[in-house]
Amino acid sequence: MSFGIWDVSIHSKIDQIKRINTSKQIKSKNIVNIDVQGQTARILGSSGEIYEVTLDHCTCFDFNSQRGPCKHIYKLAAELDLLPPTPTFNAEKAETFKQSIPAEIDRFKQQYLAGAISADKFIKIVNALNSK
Ligand SMILES: [Zn+2]
């Protein structure tokens, strides 16, 4: 499912997954008003500014710099029940992934030992792979 002018493929890009995730932190009380029929909203930003949001456009800095859906657009889409569904936890897939972690860590260790990535980056990757 998509909404507005956006091709559905945009929502699975890493930066957009981050924005979708961040949009869930926008509190309902920060939605100043929403027009369900017109599919528009006014959303209070953390800087105290009120953004004018449609499914295609937002007046925030992020939208104006990257011209793709921002967290406000995703929040509006979620309120209108138009947000693409996020993956649900799959215990079997999680177990398969868990078993692959030592091999993944070894792969990045080889990159570290070859000088391709820094110790900091290697440690961050290991910590991320071992996190819940
Ligand atoms: Zn925005």
Side-chain angles (χ1 to χ4, degrees), residues 7 35 38-39 54 125:
D7 186 272
D35 174 356
Q39 301 188 319
T54 73
I125 291 166

Side-chain angles (χ1 to χ4, degrees), residues 28-47:
S28 295
K29 69 175 170 95
N30 288 344
I31 300 173
V32 178
N33 66 290
I34 183 164
D35 174 356
V36 174
Q37 284 292 80
Q39 301 188 319
T40 64
R42 296 173 74 229
I43 297 176
L44 178 65
S46 49
S47 63

Side-chain angles (χ1 to χ4, degrees), residues 51-53 57-63 69-73:
Y51 303 117
E52 307 287 335
V53 189
H57 187 269
C58 180
T59 55
C60 78
F61 177 81
D62 180 51
F63 179 84
C70 62
K71 64 183 177 183
H72 309 109
I73 290 176

Side-chain angles (χ1 to χ4, degrees), residues 123-132:
I123 291 164
K124 281 180 188 168
I125 291 166
V126 170
N127 287 342
L129 287 170
N130 285 326
S131 70
K132 299 271 175 196

Side-chain angles (χ1 to χ4, degrees), residues 1-128:
M1 184 201 298
S2 196
F3 57 84
I5 59 174
W6 314 109
D7 186 272
V8 71
S9 65
I10 196 171
H11 308 306
S12 56
K13 293 183 175 173
I14 301 286
D15 286 341
Q16 296 310 111
I17 292 171
K18 287 182 194 170
R19 287 184 178 96
I20 292 168
N21 202 41
T22 307
S23 76
K24 293 175 181 169
Q25 291 161 18
I26 297 175
K27 296 185 172 81
S28 295
K29 69 175 170 95
N30 288 344
I31 300 173
V32 178
N33 66 290
I34 183 164
D35 174 356
V36 174
Q37 284 292 80
Q39 301 188 319
T40 64
R42 296 173 74 229
I43 297 176
L44 178 65
S46 49
S47 63
E49 213 171 322
I50 292 172
Y51 303 117
E52 307 287 335
V53 189
T54 73
L55 293 173
D56 302 330
H57 187 269
C58 180
T59 55
C60 78
F61 177 81
D62 180 51
F63 179 84
N64 282 288
S65 57
Q66 51 93 15
R67 293 278 155 188
C70 62
K71 64 183 177 183
H72 309 109
I73 290 176
Y74 283 121
K75 182 67 178 177
L76 173 60
E79 292 294 314
L80 298 173
D81 231 5
L82 297 172
L83 202 62
T86 47
T88 50
F89 181 77
N90 179 313
E92 198 178 310
K93 300 246 187 227
E95 187 54 35
T96 303
F97 175 69
K98 196 175 162 190
Q99 288 170 6
S100 77
I101 290 175
E104 289 295 323
I105 289 174
D106 193 58
R107 191 164 69 85
F108 286 105
K109 187 168 107 184
Q110 297 311 314
Q111 296 300 317
Y112 164 65
L113 293 173
I117 59 173
S118 68
D120 274 351
K121 185 172 262 185
F122 173 58
I123 291 164
K124 281 180 188 168
I125 291 166
V126 170
N127 287 342

